[in-house]
Structures are given as C-alpha cells and as structure tokens.
Amino acid sequence: MSISQSHSRAVEAALILDAAIERAAAEGLHSLTLRDLAQAVGKSTTVIVNLFGAKSGLIQAVGEEALRRDAAFHDAFFGSVAGLPLARDGLLALAQTYLGHRVADDAGFARIWEALLLDAEPAPEQRDMVGRWHAMRCAAWRRHLARDARLDGFVEPLVAWLTFEQYYAGALRGRADYGVVAAEGLGAMVDRAFGLADGPPTATFWYRDAMVLPQAPAGDAEPEAMRRKLLDIAADQILAGGITAITNRSVSAVAATSTSTIAYHWPDMRHFVLDAVWHSVFRDMPGHLAGHTPDGDPAGVDLNRWAAIMAPTVAIGREAEGFYVRYARLIASICIEARRDPSLRDLAMLLRGPEGGGTYYKRTGVWPADFDLNRLAATRFALWIKAEALLACARGRALDEDALKTAACLLVARQS
C-alpha cells in the first residue's frame, strides 16, 4: 500500500470514527449500525467493514478513539490547574467542574464509556479496554493529588464516585434540587478524604422530606393480570440488560402472547417502556431492603461478617449477578435515557435525591456497630459500591471481601 493510500485510509477512518462517536453520544451506542453510519458519512458499508471489520471491530475502534480523547481531556484539565494548592474547597470545586465538563454536549467520548460500562457481557477485548480507561483516569487524579499523602488512598474511591455521579449529572444538569444534593454528597466525600467530620445532611433531608412518590405503574394490578405480567417480564429484562434490552417481541415471547397484546394495554411502545422502567424500580427495591437485614444480634456483626453479607450483592456473572450490579445498571440506563427523554428526569432525581437511604435506614444488623454510618457516609458508600459494581462487571473482576472491607474503612469513620 502506497503512502498516499495509507493516508487516505487514515483520513476515512478518522471521519467514520468522528461520526460514530457523535451518533453514539446522541442516540446511544446500541443504536450504532453500519448502514446508518455509512449513510451519515456518505460511504458504503463495505468501506467501513474493510476498515474495521464487523460491528464489534467498529465498537472496539470507537472505544480506542474515545480512550485517546479522554486521555487528552485529562491532560488538558489537570494541566489547567497545575500547582493549585490542595485544599478542601479547591478540590470540591475541581471535582464539580470535572463533572460539568464530562456531561457537556461536546464530550461525546465520555458518553462512550457510560455505555460500555453497562454491557452485561463484555468481550475480553472490551474488558481490557475499560480496564485501561479506568487506570488512565486513576493515574491522572493520582498525579494531581500526589502532593498530599492523605489523599492517595482516596484516588480510586473518588474516581469511582465520580464515575457513577456522572450518570446523574448528565440526566439532571441544570436542576437546582440536584445541584444542592449532589454538592452536599461530593462535599462529604472530600471532607472524608481530608479527615474532616461530616456536616449535617441538610440538603439530603430536605429532599427526603419534600419527596413525593408517585403511584407504581402496576400498583393496582393483580399479580396474575396480563398487564402486571408484561411489566414483570420487561422489568426482568431491563435489570439484566438495561432499557435497550426490551422490545415488543422479547417481552411477548416470554409472555407467550402476541405482539399486539402490549398495544392493547398501552397506547404505544414508548409508554410501555416508561411504565416498565418505573415498575422495575418500585417492584424490586422494597423487597431488597426488607430482606437486606439478617436475623440475629446486631452486636454480633463485625467487619468480616459485614463483608460476607455484602459480597453477594456485587457478584458478577449471569448465574449469580448481585443486586448492586443490576440496580446500578438500571439507574445508569435510566439516566442515559433521561438525557434524551425529559419524562424520565423526575425518576432520575427520585433515585439520586435519597441515594444511600437504603444503606442508612437498614444499617442495623448489616453494618458493624463500631462504624459511624451517618447519612452522608451512607450516600458516600452507596455511590461508591454502585460504581464499583459496574466497573467490576465491565472489567470482569469481581470485588472481593478484602476490597469491600478496605472501602468501608476508608469511606465510613470508625467510632472513637
């Protein structure tokens, strides 16, 4: 191949990757098809196949380009604050600005990672790519925070926290209620990193007290009713594979009914999907929380017993996928869809506002009595474990009990 031919192929590949990232950022990585992409760039699908192979090769190339752009983003971001003194307020503002940049409309590369983290069955090449991406981000934050030894242990928890908060920030940017609640949670994370005591959870309790839960979509339906059956099937598919996993055909096949049945109960597929999303939240959370507290003497729970209780909730793999893996995928999917569909923004806020509430109110008998699991500490831990659940699945590395114990000691203070 001549130099001019090689250059031409490189230009074509760059053009196609630009279009692929733009399309995936706007409509979702799942919506990326070779035919639509070919039309967008004015090329044939043969050109794309010759450059990248099948769709899996295109996705891999999109991820590699997103990694290159994200590394450049981190270099530029931290380069702009080189030498900034490390103090509580400065780090809080820096983390808030970081999130703001990553949810901006021109940060399409960040949308790629949001999508890749939700893949329930990533290929080995994709796992490696996500691992390199996560390591890059941790290294960038570690270099910036290296001047204060107190902060070294908080690099990975902070990056994990920001990973999951980014989903909420993208869905809820511009909302004042989200802004004050998120600032309080992030402030508590920074306080913990600097060894400062948690303040009062003013915004969190304000939101909790003002929160009004709507009626569940199937709240008045009998369990055996077809409407309830369809919602249950769709909720199972959403929890296993995200919102994009459900189709009329996938639900109808499991229900052993015709594809016209959904149309009989809902005006269109979009209304059914929205009800199924709400149902997946209302149906599973109460049961999980009710069964989260083990029997026995709360005083008998030590750190090892706590880790044994928590480990199954972050298990990965189709056969024994943990609650936090599925719930984190559900929340993240809702937030991604809420960027495109404003009707889901209220649900995203209902999930973010009381983040950590289940951890806090069900702490007796789960958390060791010598841990000060106050309300803000519960939020801190809840956001961390959801992020780590997604990262574990995306990288194919389950969290072990030692990692859980280390995080508990970092994120939640021991009582003196």
PDB file of all heavy atoms in Angstrom, residues 277-290:
ATOM      1  N   VAL A 277     -39.914   0.777  33.162  1.00  0.00           N
ATOM      2  CA  VAL A 277     -38.780   1.350  33.899  1.00  0.00           C
ATOM      3  C   VAL A 277     -39.198   1.706  35.316  1.00  0.00           C
ATOM      4  O   VAL A 277     -38.522   1.354  36.295  1.00  0.00           O
ATOM      5  CB  VAL A 277     -38.240   2.595  33.157  1.00  0.00           C
ATOM      6  CG1 VAL A 277     -37.249   3.346  34.025  1.00  0.00           C
ATOM      7  CG2 VAL A 277     -37.595   2.191  31.843  1.00  0.00           C
ATOM      8  N   TRP A 278     -40.308   2.414  35.453  1.00  0.00           N
ATOM      9  CA  TRP A 278     -40.803   2.754  36.789  1.00  0.00           C
ATOM     10  C   TRP A 278     -41.103   1.487  37.592  1.00  0.00           C
ATOM     11  O   TRP A 278     -40.782   1.402  38.784  1.00  0.00           O
ATOM     12  CB  TRP A 278     -42.065   3.613  36.673  1.00  0.00           C
ATOM     13  CG  TRP A 278     -41.811   5.042  36.346  1.00  0.00           C
ATOM     14  CD1 TRP A 278     -41.674   5.582  35.105  1.00  0.00           C
ATOM     15  CD2 TRP A 278     -41.639   6.133  37.263  1.00  0.00           C
ATOM     16  NE1 TRP A 278     -41.438   6.939  35.189  1.00  0.00           N
ATOM     17  CE2 TRP A 278     -41.412   7.304  36.500  1.00  0.00           C
ATOM     18  CE3 TRP A 278     -41.672   6.230  38.649  1.00  0.00           C
ATOM     19  CZ2 TRP A 278     -41.220   8.553  37.074  1.00  0.00           C
ATOM     20  CZ3 TRP A 278     -41.475   7.479  39.225  1.00  0.00           C
ATOM     21  CH2 TRP A 278     -41.245   8.617  38.445  1.00  0.00           C
ATOM     22  N   HIS A 279     -41.696   0.500  36.951  1.00  0.00           N
ATOM     23  CA  HIS A 279     -42.048  -0.745  37.641  1.00  0.00           C
ATOM     24  C   HIS A 279     -40.800  -1.464  38.143  1.00  0.00           C
ATOM     25  O   HIS A 279     -40.795  -2.031  39.242  1.00  0.00           O
ATOM     26  CB  HIS A 279     -42.829  -1.647  36.691  1.00  0.00           C
ATOM     27  CG  HIS A 279     -43.284  -2.930  37.313  1.00  0.00           C
ATOM     28  ND1 HIS A 279     -44.109  -2.986  38.421  1.00  0.00           N
ATOM     29  CD2 HIS A 279     -43.022  -4.236  36.984  1.00  0.00           C
ATOM     30  CE1 HIS A 279     -44.347  -4.240  38.739  1.00  0.00           C
ATOM     31  NE2 HIS A 279     -43.692  -5.020  37.894  1.00  0.00           N
ATOM     32  N   SER A 280     -39.737  -1.451  37.345  1.00  0.00           N
ATOM     33  CA  SER A 280     -38.509  -2.142  37.753  1.00  0.00           C
ATOM     34  C   SER A 280     -37.921  -1.535  39.021  1.00  0.00           C
ATOM     35  O   SER A 280     -37.270  -2.225  39.814  1.00  0.00           O
ATOM     36  CB  SER A 280     -37.482  -2.108  36.618  1.00  0.00           C
ATOM     37  OG  SER A 280     -37.100  -0.778  36.315  1.00  0.00           O
ATOM     38  N   VAL A 281     -38.154  -0.238  39.216  1.00  0.00           N
ATOM     39  CA  VAL A 281     -37.679   0.423  40.439  1.00  0.00           C
ATOM     40  C   VAL A 281     -38.602   0.114  41.610  1.00  0.00           C
ATOM     41  O   VAL A 281     -38.167  -0.330  42.672  1.00  0.00           O
ATOM     42  CB  VAL A 281     -37.579   1.952  40.226  1.00  0.00           C
ATOM     43  CG1 VAL A 281     -37.220   2.648  41.534  1.00  0.00           C
ATOM     44  CG2 VAL A 281     -36.551   2.273  39.150  1.00  0.00           C
ATOM     45  N   PHE A 282     -39.890   0.321  41.425  1.00  0.00           N
ATOM     46  CA  PHE A 282     -40.847   0.149  42.519  1.00  0.00           C
ATOM     47  C   PHE A 282     -40.965  -1.307  42.956  1.00  0.00           C
ATOM     48  O   PHE A 282     -41.205  -1.588  44.124  1.00  0.00           O
ATOM     49  CB  PHE A 282     -42.230   0.655  42.088  1.00  0.00           C
ATOM     50  CG  PHE A 282     -42.384   2.142  42.186  1.00  0.00           C
ATOM     51  CD1 PHE A 282     -42.151   2.946  41.084  1.00  0.00           C
ATOM     52  CD2 PHE A 282     -42.739   2.740  43.379  1.00  0.00           C
ATOM     53  CE1 PHE A 282     -42.289   4.326  41.174  1.00  0.00           C
ATOM     54  CE2 PHE A 282     -42.874   4.115  43.470  1.00  0.00           C
ATOM     55  CZ  PHE A 282     -42.655   4.913  42.368  1.00  0.00           C
ATOM     56  N   ARG A 283     -40.817  -2.243  42.035  1.00  0.00           N
ATOM     57  CA  ARG A 283     -41.021  -3.651  42.359  1.00  0.00           C
ATOM     58  C   ARG A 283     -39.887  -4.236  43.187  1.00  0.00           C
ATOM     59  O   ARG A 283     -40.112  -4.945  44.165  1.00  0.00           O
ATOM     60  CB  ARG A 283     -41.163  -4.461  41.065  1.00  0.00           C
ATOM     61  CG  ARG A 283     -41.427  -5.940  41.291  1.00  0.00           C
ATOM     62  CD  ARG A 283     -41.235  -6.743  40.022  1.00  0.00           C
ATOM     63  NE  ARG A 283     -39.840  -6.773  39.614  1.00  0.00           N
ATOM     64  CZ  ARG A 283     -39.377  -7.570  38.647  1.00  0.00           C
ATOM     65  NH1 ARG A 283     -40.201  -8.356  37.986  1.00  0.00           N
ATOM     66  NH2 ARG A 283     -38.092  -7.551  38.329  1.00  0.00           N
ATOM     67  N   ASP A 284     -38.659  -3.964  42.814  1.00  0.00           N
ATOM     68  CA  ASP A 284     -37.523  -4.674  43.396  1.00  0.00           C
ATOM     69  C   ASP A 284     -36.939  -4.030  44.640  1.00  0.00           C
ATOM     70  O   ASP A 284     -36.437  -4.724  45.519  1.00  0.00           O
ATOM     71  CB  ASP A 284     -36.417  -4.841  42.353  1.00  0.00           C
ATOM     72  CG  ASP A 284     -36.740  -5.926  41.351  1.00  0.00           C
ATOM     73  OD1 ASP A 284     -37.935  -6.239  41.216  1.00  0.00           O
ATOM     74  OD2 ASP A 284     -35.820  -6.445  40.715  1.00  0.00           O
ATOM     75  N   MET A 285     -36.961  -2.696  44.713  1.00  0.00           N
ATOM     76  CA  MET A 285     -36.303  -2.045  45.842  1.00  0.00           C
ATOM     77  C   MET A 285     -36.895  -2.404  47.206  1.00  0.00           C
ATOM     78  O   MET A 285     -36.160  -2.771  48.128  1.00  0.00           O
ATOM     79  CB  MET A 285     -36.309  -0.529  45.652  1.00  0.00           C
ATOM     80  CG  MET A 285     -35.137  -0.026  44.822  1.00  0.00           C
ATOM     81  SD  MET A 285     -33.540  -0.547  45.479  1.00  0.00           S
ATOM     82  CE  MET A 285     -33.500   0.314  47.038  1.00  0.00           C
ATOM     83  N   PRO A 286     -38.212  -2.339  47.403  1.00  0.00           N
ATOM     84  CA  PRO A 286     -38.747  -2.661  48.735  1.00  0.00           C
ATOM     85  C   PRO A 286     -38.401  -4.074  49.185  1.00  0.00           C
ATOM     86  O   PRO A 286     -38.027  -4.301  50.334  1.00  0.00           O
ATOM     87  CB  PRO A 286     -40.261  -2.478  48.559  1.00  0.00           C
ATOM     88  CG  PRO A 286     -40.391  -1.526  47.423  1.00  0.00           C
ATOM     89  CD  PRO A 286     -39.270  -1.874  46.500  1.00  0.00           C
ATOM     90  N   GLY A 287     -38.490  -5.027  48.266  1.00  0.00           N
ATOM     91  CA  GLY A 287     -38.174  -6.402  48.632  1.00  0.00           C
ATOM     92  C   GLY A 287     -36.717  -6.582  48.999  1.00  0.00           C
ATOM     93  O   GLY A 287     -36.375  -7.311  49.928  1.00  0.00           O
ATOM     94  N   HIS A 288     -35.851  -5.897  48.259  1.00  0.00           N
ATOM     95  CA  HIS A 288     -34.423  -6.000  48.568  1.00  0.00           C
ATOM     96  C   HIS A 288     -34.129  -5.426  49.951  1.00  0.00           C
ATOM     97  O   HIS A 288     -33.437  -6.038  50.764  1.00  0.00           O
ATOM     98  CB  HIS A 288     -33.583  -5.257  47.544  1.00  0.00           C
ATOM     99  CG  HIS A 288     -32.168  -5.043  47.983  1.00  0.00           C
ATOM    100  ND1 HIS A 288     -31.245  -6.050  48.045  1.00  0.00           N
ATOM    101  CD2 HIS A 288     -31.538  -3.928  48.433  1.00  0.00           C
ATOM    102  CE1 HIS A 288     -30.097  -5.572  48.500  1.00  0.00           C
ATOM    103  NE2 HIS A 288     -30.252  -4.285  48.732  1.00  0.00           N
ATOM    104  N   LEU A 289     -34.682  -4.266  50.226  1.00  0.00           N
ATOM    105  CA  LEU A 289     -34.409  -3.621  51.505  1.00  0.00           C
ATOM    106  C   LEU A 289     -34.985  -4.424  52.659  1.00  0.00           C
ATOM    107  O   LEU A 289     -34.389  -4.527  53.731  1.00  0.00           O
ATOM    108  CB  LEU A 289     -34.980  -2.199  51.503  1.00  0.00           C
ATOM    109  CG  LEU A 289     -34.321  -1.243  50.501  1.00  0.00           C
ATOM    110  CD1 LEU A 289     -35.003   0.110  50.553  1.00  0.00           C
ATOM    111  CD2 LEU A 289     -32.837  -1.097  50.780  1.00  0.00           C
ATOM    112  N   ALA A 290     -36.164  -5.007  52.443  1.00  0.00           N
ATOM    113  CA  ALA A 290     -36.778  -5.790  53.508  1.00  0.00           C
ATOM    114  C   ALA A 290     -35.962  -7.026  53.844  1.00  0.00           C
ATOM    115  O   ALA A 290     -35.913  -7.470  54.993  1.00  0.00           O
ATOM    116  CB  ALA A 290     -38.196  -6.195  53.098  1.00  0.00           C
TER     117      ALA A 290
END
